[in-house]
Short mmCIF file of all heavy atoms in Angstrom, two decimals:
data_model
loop_
_atom_site.label_atom_id
_atom_site.label_comp_id
_atom_site.label_asym_id
_atom_site.label_seq_id
_atom_site.Cartn_x
_atom_site.Cartn_y
_atom_site.Cartn_z
N MET A 1 0.88 -1.19 0.03
CA MET A 1 0.00 -0.01 0.00
C MET A 1 0.89 1.21 -0.02
O MET A 1 1.87 1.32 0.65
CB MET A 1 -0.92 -0.01 1.25
CG MET A 1 -2.07 -0.74 1.22
SD MET A 1 -3.12 -0.23 2.59
CE MET A 1 -4.45 -1.30 2.42
N ASP A 2 0.42 2.23 -0.62
CA ASP A 2 1.28 3.49 -0.73
C ASP A 2 0.73 4.53 0.24
O ASP A 2 1.25 5.61 0.17
CB ASP A 2 1.24 3.99 -2.18
CG ASP A 2 -0.25 4.39 -2.70
OD1 ASP A 2 -1.12 4.29 -1.89
OD2 ASP A 2 -0.38 4.73 -3.86
N GLY A 3 -0.31 4.26 1.01
CA GLY A 3 -0.81 5.20 2.03
C GLY A 3 -1.88 6.12 1.57
O GLY A 3 -2.47 6.86 2.31
N THR A 4 -2.18 6.05 0.24
CA THR A 4 -3.19 6.97 -0.20
C THR A 4 -4.59 6.37 -0.25
O THR A 4 -5.63 7.04 -0.26
CB THR A 4 -2.92 7.42 -1.77
OG1 THR A 4 -2.87 6.19 -2.55
CG2 THR A 4 -1.54 8.12 -1.82
N ASN A 5 -4.77 5.11 -0.17
CA ASN A 5 -6.05 4.46 -0.02
C ASN A 5 -6.48 4.26 1.46
O ASN A 5 -5.60 3.68 2.28
CB ASN A 5 -6.03 3.06 -0.75
CG ASN A 5 -5.69 3.11 -2.25
OD1 ASN A 5 -6.10 4.11 -2.78
ND2 ASN A 5 -5.15 2.13 -2.77
N LYS A 6 -7.61 4.76 1.83
CA LYS A 6 -8.12 4.69 3.14
C LYS A 6 -9.10 3.50 3.14
O LYS A 6 -9.85 3.38 2.26
CB LYS A 6 -8.76 5.93 3.60
CG LYS A 6 -7.91 7.04 3.77
CD LYS A 6 -8.55 8.21 4.49
CE LYS A 6 -7.56 9.33 4.61
NZ LYS A 6 -8.24 10.51 5.23
N VAL A 7 -8.98 2.70 4.23
CA VAL A 7 -9.98 1.64 4.40
C VAL A 7 -11.13 2.14 5.12
O VAL A 7 -11.06 2.88 6.06
CB VAL A 7 -9.34 0.48 5.20
CG1 VAL A 7 -10.31 -0.62 5.47
CG2 VAL A 7 -8.15 -0.13 4.44
N SER A 8 -12.41 1.86 4.62
CA SER A 8 -13.59 2.26 5.22
C SER A 8 -14.34 1.12 5.78
O SER A 8 -14.58 0.06 5.07
CB SER A 8 -14.45 3.10 4.16
OG SER A 8 -15.68 3.41 4.79
N PHE A 9 -14.77 1.14 7.05
CA PHE A 9 -15.50 0.14 7.68
C PHE A 9 -16.90 0.70 7.93
O PHE A 9 -17.07 1.87 8.25
CB PHE A 9 -14.88 -0.15 9.08
CG PHE A 9 -13.56 -0.85 8.92
CD1 PHE A 9 -12.34 -0.09 9.10
CD2 PHE A 9 -13.43 -2.15 8.63
CE1 PHE A 9 -11.13 -0.61 9.05
CE2 PHE A 9 -12.14 -2.70 8.47
CZ PHE A 9 -11.07 -2.00 8.69
N PRO A 10 -17.91 -0.24 7.82
CA PRO A 10 -19.35 0.17 8.07
C PRO A 10 -19.56 0.51 9.49
O PRO A 10 -18.87 -0.05 10.40
CB PRO A 10 -20.09 -1.08 7.63
CG PRO A 10 -19.25 -2.15 7.75
CD PRO A 10 -17.82 -1.71 7.44
N VAL A 11 -20.37 1.37 9.82
CA VAL A 11 -20.84 1.72 11.17
C VAL A 11 -21.70 0.53 11.66
O VAL A 11 -22.65 0.14 11.12
CB VAL A 11 -21.65 3.02 11.21
CG1 VAL A 11 -22.10 3.32 12.70
CG2 VAL A 11 -20.81 4.15 10.74
N MET A 12 -21.18 0.01 12.83
CA MET A 12 -21.97 -1.08 13.35
C MET A 12 -22.11 -0.93 14.93
O MET A 12 -21.32 -0.16 15.51
CB MET A 12 -21.09 -2.41 13.20
CG MET A 12 -20.96 -2.74 11.72
SD MET A 12 -19.85 -4.28 11.42
CE MET A 12 -19.83 -5.12 12.78
N SER A 13 -23.13 -1.52 15.52
CA SER A 13 -23.33 -1.54 16.90
C SER A 13 -23.78 -2.92 17.29
O SER A 13 -24.33 -3.59 16.56
CB SER A 13 -24.27 -0.47 17.32
OG SER A 13 -25.54 -0.80 16.77
N LEU A 14 -23.36 -3.26 18.55
CA LEU A 14 -23.77 -4.48 19.15
C LEU A 14 -24.50 -4.24 20.29
O LEU A 14 -24.29 -3.33 21.13
CB LEU A 14 -22.48 -5.38 19.53
CG LEU A 14 -21.54 -5.82 18.42
CD1 LEU A 14 -20.27 -6.36 18.94
CD2 LEU A 14 -22.26 -6.75 17.44
N SER A 15 -25.54 -5.07 20.55
CA SER A 15 -26.37 -4.87 21.74
C SER A 15 -26.08 -5.90 22.79
O SER A 15 -26.34 -5.80 23.96
CB SER A 15 -27.82 -4.78 21.38
OG SER A 15 -28.26 -5.98 20.88
N HIS A 16 -25.60 -7.12 22.35
CA HIS A 16 -25.33 -8.25 23.24
C HIS A 16 -24.36 -9.20 22.56
O HIS A 16 -24.47 -9.54 21.45
CB HIS A 16 -26.78 -8.99 23.43
CG HIS A 16 -26.66 -10.11 24.37
ND1 HIS A 16 -26.89 -9.95 25.63
CD2 HIS A 16 -26.24 -11.35 24.19
CE1 HIS A 16 -26.76 -11.15 26.28
NE2 HIS A 16 -26.41 -12.03 25.38
N VAL A 17 -23.38 -9.53 23.53
CA VAL A 17 -22.45 -10.57 23.11
C VAL A 17 -22.19 -11.51 24.29
O VAL A 17 -22.13 -11.02 25.40
CB VAL A 17 -21.06 -9.98 22.71
CG1 VAL A 17 -20.11 -11.05 22.37
CG2 VAL A 17 -21.20 -9.06 21.42
N GLU A 18 -22.20 -12.80 24.03
CA GLU A 18 -21.95 -13.77 25.11
C GLU A 18 -20.61 -14.40 24.93
O GLU A 18 -20.32 -14.90 23.92
CB GLU A 18 -23.07 -14.82 25.03
CG GLU A 18 -22.97 -15.77 26.20
CD GLU A 18 -24.32 -16.65 26.28
OE1 GLU A 18 -25.31 -16.35 25.60
OE2 GLU A 18 -24.12 -17.67 26.97
N LEU A 19 -19.78 -14.38 26.00
CA LEU A 19 -18.47 -14.89 25.86
C LEU A 19 -18.31 -15.96 27.09
O LEU A 19 -18.76 -15.78 28.24
CB LEU A 19 -17.38 -13.83 26.17
CG LEU A 19 -17.29 -12.74 25.28
CD1 LEU A 19 -16.28 -11.70 25.64
CD2 LEU A 19 -16.95 -13.12 23.78
N TYR A 20 -17.77 -17.11 26.69
CA TYR A 20 -17.37 -18.13 27.64
C TYR A 20 -15.91 -18.01 27.86
O TYR A 20 -15.15 -18.16 26.95
CB TYR A 20 -17.80 -19.54 27.05
CG TYR A 20 -19.25 -19.75 27.04
CD1 TYR A 20 -20.01 -19.32 25.79
CD2 TYR A 20 -20.06 -20.18 28.00
CE1 TYR A 20 -21.38 -19.49 25.66
CE2 TYR A 20 -21.43 -20.29 27.85
CZ TYR A 20 -22.11 -20.00 26.73
OH TYR A 20 -23.39 -20.21 26.65
N VAL A 21 -15.50 -17.86 29.15
CA VAL A 21 -14.09 -17.72 29.47
C VAL A 21 -13.72 -18.66 30.59
O VAL A 21 -14.58 -19.12 31.28
CB VAL A 21 -13.77 -16.25 29.87
CG1 VAL A 21 -14.06 -15.24 28.78
CG2 VAL A 21 -14.58 -15.89 31.16
N ARG A 22 -12.49 -18.94 30.65
CA ARG A 22 -12.01 -19.86 31.70
C ARG A 22 -11.71 -19.21 33.09
O ARG A 22 -12.00 -19.84 34.05
CB ARG A 22 -10.61 -20.39 31.27
CG ARG A 22 -10.72 -21.37 30.10
CD ARG A 22 -9.40 -21.93 29.72
NE ARG A 22 -9.52 -22.74 28.57
CZ ARG A 22 -8.77 -23.61 28.22
NH1 ARG A 22 -7.65 -24.01 28.89
NH2 ARG A 22 -8.87 -24.29 27.04
N ASP A 23 -11.42 -17.93 33.05
CA ASP A 23 -11.25 -17.10 34.27
C ASP A 23 -11.97 -15.83 34.25
O ASP A 23 -11.62 -14.84 33.68
CB ASP A 23 -9.77 -16.80 34.35
CG ASP A 23 -9.33 -16.24 35.72
OD1 ASP A 23 -10.23 -15.61 36.41
OD2 ASP A 23 -8.19 -16.37 36.18
N ILE A 24 -13.18 -15.93 34.92
CA ILE A 24 -14.15 -14.81 34.80
C ILE A 24 -13.54 -13.59 35.60
O ILE A 24 -13.86 -12.42 35.24
CB ILE A 24 -15.46 -15.19 35.33
CG1 ILE A 24 -16.54 -14.18 34.87
CG2 ILE A 24 -15.53 -15.34 36.93
CD1 ILE A 24 -18.05 -14.59 35.07
N VAL A 25 -12.82 -13.78 36.65
CA VAL A 25 -12.23 -12.68 37.43
C VAL A 25 -11.16 -11.92 36.53
O VAL A 25 -11.21 -10.77 36.43
CB VAL A 25 -11.58 -13.19 38.75
CG1 VAL A 25 -10.83 -12.06 39.45
CG2 VAL A 25 -12.68 -13.84 39.57
N GLN A 26 -10.32 -12.73 35.81
CA GLN A 26 -9.28 -12.10 34.96
C GLN A 26 -10.08 -11.41 33.83
O GLN A 26 -9.66 -10.26 33.44
CB GLN A 26 -8.37 -13.18 34.41
CG GLN A 26 -7.31 -12.61 33.57
CD GLN A 26 -6.35 -13.69 33.11
OE1 GLN A 26 -6.43 -14.87 33.50
NE2 GLN A 26 -5.38 -13.42 32.24
N MET A 27 -11.11 -11.89 33.22
CA MET A 27 -11.80 -11.28 32.15
C MET A 27 -12.46 -10.05 32.49
O MET A 27 -12.32 -8.98 31.92
CB MET A 27 -12.90 -12.25 31.59
CG MET A 27 -13.71 -11.71 30.48
SD MET A 27 -15.05 -10.61 30.83
CE MET A 27 -16.01 -11.53 32.07
N GLU A 28 -13.07 -10.03 33.86
CA GLU A 28 -13.69 -8.76 34.32
C GLU A 28 -12.57 -7.76 34.53
O GLU A 28 -12.90 -6.57 34.21
CB GLU A 28 -14.40 -9.07 35.59
CG GLU A 28 -15.03 -7.88 36.13
CD GLU A 28 -15.72 -8.12 37.54
OE1 GLU A 28 -16.22 -9.30 37.71
OE2 GLU A 28 -15.81 -7.19 38.35
N ARG A 29 -11.51 -8.17 35.09
CA ARG A 29 -10.40 -7.08 35.34
C ARG A 29 -9.93 -6.55 33.98
O ARG A 29 -9.77 -5.32 33.86
CB ARG A 29 -9.25 -7.74 36.02
CG ARG A 29 -8.21 -6.88 36.48
CD ARG A 29 -6.98 -7.49 37.18
NE ARG A 29 -7.41 -8.39 38.24
CZ ARG A 29 -7.20 -9.67 38.33
NH1 ARG A 29 -6.59 -10.34 37.24
NH2 ARG A 29 -7.60 -10.41 39.32
N PHE A 30 -9.74 -7.30 33.02
CA PHE A 30 -9.32 -6.85 31.66
C PHE A 30 -10.26 -5.91 31.11
O PHE A 30 -9.90 -4.78 30.69
CB PHE A 30 -8.96 -8.04 30.74
CG PHE A 30 -8.61 -7.61 29.33
CD1 PHE A 30 -7.41 -7.02 29.05
CD2 PHE A 30 -9.58 -7.68 28.33
CE1 PHE A 30 -7.06 -6.62 27.78
CE2 PHE A 30 -9.27 -7.18 27.05
CZ PHE A 30 -7.97 -6.70 26.84
N TYR A 31 -11.52 -6.36 31.03
CA TYR A 31 -12.50 -5.38 30.34
C TYR A 31 -12.87 -4.14 31.10
O TYR A 31 -13.03 -3.16 30.40
CB TYR A 31 -13.95 -6.21 30.15
CG TYR A 31 -13.87 -7.05 28.88
CD1 TYR A 31 -13.24 -8.29 28.91
CD2 TYR A 31 -14.36 -6.60 27.76
CE1 TYR A 31 -13.19 -9.08 27.70
CE2 TYR A 31 -14.43 -7.37 26.63
CZ TYR A 31 -13.81 -8.56 26.57
OH TYR A 31 -13.76 -9.24 25.53
N THR A 32 -12.71 -4.17 32.41
CA THR A 32 -12.98 -2.90 33.19
C THR A 32 -11.73 -2.02 33.18
O THR A 32 -11.85 -0.80 33.05
CB THR A 32 -13.46 -3.29 34.65
OG1 THR A 32 -12.55 -4.06 35.29
CG2 THR A 32 -14.79 -3.86 34.68
N THR A 33 -10.54 -2.55 33.48
CA THR A 33 -9.33 -1.70 33.66
C THR A 33 -8.78 -1.30 32.26
O THR A 33 -8.19 -0.29 32.24
CB THR A 33 -8.33 -2.34 34.53
OG1 THR A 33 -7.85 -3.56 33.84
CG2 THR A 33 -8.80 -2.67 35.86
N GLN A 34 -8.79 -2.24 31.23
CA GLN A 34 -8.05 -1.89 29.98
C GLN A 34 -9.05 -1.30 28.92
O GLN A 34 -8.56 -0.59 28.07
CB GLN A 34 -7.36 -3.17 29.40
CG GLN A 34 -6.42 -3.78 30.47
CD GLN A 34 -5.32 -2.77 30.76
OE1 GLN A 34 -4.64 -2.20 29.81
NE2 GLN A 34 -4.99 -2.60 31.96
N LEU A 35 -10.32 -1.76 28.87
CA LEU A 35 -11.20 -1.35 27.84
C LEU A 35 -12.23 -0.45 28.32
O LEU A 35 -13.12 0.02 27.50
CB LEU A 35 -11.85 -2.66 27.24
CG LEU A 35 -10.85 -3.63 26.60
CD1 LEU A 35 -11.64 -4.80 26.04
CD2 LEU A 35 -9.95 -2.95 25.55
N GLY A 36 -12.29 -0.12 29.70
CA GLY A 36 -13.25 0.86 30.08
C GLY A 36 -14.73 0.41 30.20
O GLY A 36 -15.54 1.33 30.39
N PHE A 37 -15.03 -0.82 30.34
CA PHE A 37 -16.30 -1.44 30.53
C PHE A 37 -16.62 -1.15 32.09
O PHE A 37 -15.72 -1.15 32.89
CB PHE A 37 -16.45 -2.89 30.25
CG PHE A 37 -16.58 -3.04 28.67
CD1 PHE A 37 -15.48 -2.92 27.87
CD2 PHE A 37 -17.72 -3.45 28.19
CE1 PHE A 37 -15.52 -3.15 26.59
CE2 PHE A 37 -17.90 -3.70 26.83
CZ PHE A 37 -16.79 -3.58 26.02
N VAL A 38 -17.92 -1.19 32.43
CA VAL A 38 -18.37 -1.21 33.80
C VAL A 38 -19.26 -2.44 34.03
O VAL A 38 -19.95 -2.81 33.18
CB VAL A 38 -19.08 0.14 34.22
CG1 VAL A 38 -18.09 1.32 34.16
CG2 VAL A 38 -20.25 0.36 33.35
N VAL A 39 -19.12 -2.94 35.25
CA VAL A 39 -20.14 -3.98 35.51
C VAL A 39 -21.53 -3.42 35.90
O VAL A 39 -21.73 -2.53 36.72
CB VAL A 39 -19.61 -4.78 36.93
CG1 VAL A 39 -20.55 -5.86 37.30
CG2 VAL A 39 -18.20 -5.39 36.66
N THR A 40 -22.47 -3.91 35.15
CA THR A 40 -23.86 -3.53 35.33
C THR A 40 -24.68 -4.47 36.13
O THR A 40 -25.75 -4.18 36.70
CB THR A 40 -24.48 -3.19 34.02
OG1 THR A 40 -24.54 -4.48 33.23
CG2 THR A 40 -23.78 -2.16 33.27
N ASP A 41 -24.28 -5.71 36.17
CA ASP A 41 -25.11 -6.79 36.88
C ASP A 41 -24.28 -8.02 36.99
O ASP A 41 -23.29 -8.23 36.36
CB ASP A 41 -26.40 -7.06 36.15
CG ASP A 41 -27.50 -7.66 36.97
OD1 ASP A 41 -27.28 -7.84 38.19
OD2 ASP A 41 -28.57 -8.06 36.48
N ARG A 42 -24.61 -8.89 37.96
CA ARG A 42 -24.07 -10.23 38.10
C ARG A 42 -25.23 -11.16 38.14
O ARG A 42 -26.40 -10.88 38.59
CB ARG A 42 -23.22 -10.26 39.29
CG ARG A 42 -22.08 -9.32 39.34
CD ARG A 42 -21.23 -9.40 40.57
NE ARG A 42 -20.13 -8.48 40.61
CZ ARG A 42 -19.05 -8.53 39.93
NH1 ARG A 42 -18.76 -9.67 39.26
NH2 ARG A 42 -18.08 -7.57 39.99
N GLY A 43 -24.89 -12.44 37.81
CA GLY A 43 -25.92 -13.53 37.81
C GLY A 43 -25.47 -14.74 38.38
O GLY A 43 -24.26 -14.88 38.56
N GLN A 44 -26.32 -15.65 38.61
CA GLN A 44 -26.01 -17.06 39.11
C GLN A 44 -25.65 -17.94 37.95
O GLN A 44 -26.32 -17.79 36.91
CB GLN A 44 -27.08 -17.56 40.07
CG GLN A 44 -27.31 -16.61 41.24
CD GLN A 44 -26.21 -16.63 42.21
OE1 GLN A 44 -25.59 -17.62 42.49
NE2 GLN A 44 -25.90 -15.43 42.64
N GLY A 45 -24.81 -18.91 38.13
CA GLY A 45 -24.59 -19.85 37.18
C GLY A 45 -23.40 -20.82 37.73
O GLY A 45 -22.87 -20.56 38.67
N ALA A 46 -23.20 -21.85 36.98
CA ALA A 46 -22.14 -22.75 37.38
C ALA A 46 -20.81 -22.11 37.53
O ALA A 46 -20.04 -22.32 38.52
CB ALA A 46 -21.96 -23.84 36.37
N ASN A 47 -20.45 -21.08 36.70
CA ASN A 47 -19.22 -20.41 36.74
C ASN A 47 -19.48 -18.94 37.08
O ASN A 47 -18.46 -18.09 36.95
CB ASN A 47 -18.42 -20.68 35.51
CG ASN A 47 -18.12 -22.06 35.32
OD1 ASN A 47 -17.58 -22.71 36.28
ND2 ASN A 47 -18.33 -22.57 34.16
N GLY A 48 -20.67 -18.52 37.30
CA GLY A 48 -20.97 -17.06 37.51
C GLY A 48 -21.20 -16.38 36.25
O GLY A 48 -20.91 -16.83 35.15
N LEU A 49 -21.84 -15.22 36.28
CA LEU A 49 -22.18 -14.36 35.27
C LEU A 49 -21.83 -12.96 35.52
O LEU A 49 -21.99 -12.49 36.62
CB LEU A 49 -23.63 -14.45 34.79
CG LEU A 49 -24.27 -15.81 34.48
CD1 LEU A 49 -25.80 -15.66 34.50
CD2 LEU A 49 -23.80 -16.19 33.14
N VAL A 50 -21.31 -12.27 34.53
CA VAL A 50 -20.89 -10.85 34.76
C VAL A 50 -21.49 -10.11 33.59
O VAL A 50 -21.16 -10.42 32.41
CB VAL A 50 -19.47 -10.58 34.91
CG1 VAL A 50 -19.17 -9.03 34.93
CG2 VAL A 50 -18.81 -11.22 36.07
N PHE A 51 -22.23 -9.02 33.74
CA PHE A 51 -22.78 -8.31 32.68
C PHE A 51 -21.98 -6.92 32.68
O PHE A 51 -21.84 -6.25 33.65
CB PHE A 51 -24.29 -7.94 32.86
CG PHE A 51 -25.09 -9.19 32.81
CD1 PHE A 51 -25.34 -9.97 34.00
CD2 PHE A 51 -25.68 -9.64 31.62
CE1 PHE A 51 -26.10 -11.07 33.90
CE2 PHE A 51 -26.43 -10.77 31.59
CZ PHE A 51 -26.64 -11.51 32.76
N LEU A 52 -21.41 -6.63 31.38
CA LEU A 52 -20.57 -5.46 31.32
C LEU A 52 -21.17 -4.50 30.26
O LEU A 52 -21.81 -4.96 29.22
CB LEU A 52 -19.16 -5.87 30.88
CG LEU A 52 -18.42 -6.83 31.79
CD1 LEU A 52 -17.30 -7.53 31.03
CD2 LEU A 52 -17.96 -6.06 33.03
N SER A 53 -20.90 -3.25 30.41
CA SER A 53 -21.33 -2.22 29.41
C SER A 53 -20.40 -1.12 29.23
O SER A 53 -19.68 -0.78 30.13
CB SER A 53 -22.70 -1.72 29.90
OG SER A 53 -23.18 -0.69 28.93
N ARG A 54 -20.41 -0.52 28.03
CA ARG A 54 -19.51 0.64 27.74
C ARG A 54 -20.39 1.88 27.98
O ARG A 54 -19.88 2.97 28.10
CB ARG A 54 -19.06 0.59 26.35
CG ARG A 54 -17.95 -0.33 26.19
CD ARG A 54 -16.57 0.11 26.55
NE ARG A 54 -16.19 1.19 25.68
CZ ARG A 54 -15.25 2.09 26.02
NH1 ARG A 54 -14.53 1.92 27.14
NH2 ARG A 54 -15.01 3.10 25.19
N SER A 55 -21.68 1.77 28.01
CA SER A 55 -22.58 2.86 28.14
C SER A 55 -23.86 2.49 28.99
O SER A 55 -24.90 2.21 28.53
CB SER A 55 -23.05 3.35 26.76
OG SER A 55 -23.74 2.31 26.04
N PRO A 56 -23.53 2.38 30.29
CA PRO A 56 -24.59 1.94 31.25
C PRO A 56 -25.70 2.87 31.38
O PRO A 56 -25.54 4.08 31.24
CB PRO A 56 -23.70 1.70 32.61
CG PRO A 56 -22.59 2.57 32.42
CD PRO A 56 -22.34 2.76 30.97
#
């Protein structure tokens, strides 16, 4: 590429994504401290549930 062509991405939004992780504590720490998410709710489950949002 010579730097003159710009890549254009479509505007997209997500309302819900479900992730299965091995370490929920580490995942929560990463998403809150590094990506700016906030915990909006918690739920019961075999391994626990954490609900995160960028715009609570």
Side-chain angles (χ1 to χ4, degrees):
M1 276 191 183
D2 61 7
T4 59
N5 296 329
K6 291 186 178 182
V7 177
S8 177
F9 293 100
V11 175
M12 296 175 22
S13 66
L14 296 172
S15 64
H16 181 94
V17 174
E18 185 173 345
L19 302 174
Y20 292 89
V21 299
R22 292 182 187 203
D23 188 334
I24 197 165
V25 172
Q26 183 178 357
M27 181 277 306
E28 179 182 329
R29 185 180 312 115
F30 174 75
Y31 275 82
T32 56
T33 63
Q34 301 299 312
L35 300 179
F37 283 74
V38 296
V39 175
T40 59
D41 200 2
R42 296 182 186 278
Q44 300 298 315
N47 298 313
L49 301 168
V50 175
F51 296 87
L52 303 162
S53 177
R54 288 277 294 162
S55 56

